[in-house]
Amino acid sequence: MDMRIVRNADGTLVVPVPPERHHEADDDAGARAGGAESDSAGPDAAPKTRLLHPGEGGYDEALSEWDLEHNPDREPVVSTATGRREAMALVHAVATSPDHAVAPAVEAIDDPEASAEALRHVLVGGVHSVEDFSAEIAKAEGGDPLPAHEATKIIGEVLAELE
């Protein structure tokens, strides 16, 4: 099974779920094939998927994996101070925009590549990294910290726009 993660327009992710491994009971296995166990769900088993919403367990990791699938030749993520400052301003601009407009916010930054790298660095750190980033945005830009699931959704939208 070689399925890729799909990012929907609403920010949800469709992720592949590995098939369950089935082991025959010891008494059944001994009666067949010299005691061999079955490791697969069979050749006719359809690939299974799971829909993940921002803030749901595993979402940050799946979004990071989705980004890596779309940029497989990219070097390891490195966050710079300038990129992080711009990324914070970018997320804040999208979050406070009346129409949640991503494109104008992206166009307003000086270094989209550094901002994207900073956002990827946040995602790689997982949910606690996103929470810390939200608190840092609130301190720098004012207002209350965004809930982690909202910040993660905005990060995904920005990365999709920058792609």
Side-chain angles (χ1 to χ4, degrees):
M1 173 179 76
D2 187 29
M3 287 185 58
R4 296 174 61 99
I5 296 171
V6 176
R7 184 180 178 280
N8 297 319
D10 66 356
T12 58
L13 299 172
V14 179
V15 297
V17 175
E20 291 182 31
R21 294 179 62 136
H22 297 281
H23 299 281
E24 296 178 15
D26 289 340
D27 54 351
D28 291 339
R32 289 185 238 134
E37 292 181 332
S38 173
D39 284 344
S40 68
D44 60 340
K48 294 181 181 179
T49 60
R50 179 173 177 214
L51 184 67
L52 291 176
H53 294 83
E56 195 171 352
Y59 182 89
D60 292 350
E61 295 82 358
L63 184 58
S64 183
E65 183 65 29
W66 170 84
D67 185 57
L68 183 61
E69 285 177 359
H70 286 80
N71 302 288
D73 297 329
R74 184 180 55 241
E75 296 293 319
V77 177
V78 177
S79 180
T80 63
T82 303
R84 188 166 179 96
R85 277 192 302 275
E86 282 199 342
M88 289 189 309
L90 180 56
V91 170
H92 183 264
V94 172
T96 58
S97 168
D99 57 353
H100 201 67
V102 176
V106 168
E107 290 171 10
I109 58 175
D110 293 327
D111 192 347
E113 187 175 319
S115 299
E117 287 297 299
L119 293 173
R120 289 181 182 106
H121 193 265
V122 169
L123 286 179
V124 168
V127 71
H128 295 297
S129 177
V130 174
E131 291 169 343
D132 292 345
F133 185 66
S134 291
E136 194 175 342
I137 292 171
K139 184 176 179 182
E141 303 287 340
D144 294 327
L146 289 171
H149 70 280
E150 286 182 35
T152 302
K153 183 177 180 187
I154 292 171
I155 291 170
E157 292 170 351
V158 168
L159 291 175
E161 178 72 24
L162 290 171
E163 189 174 274

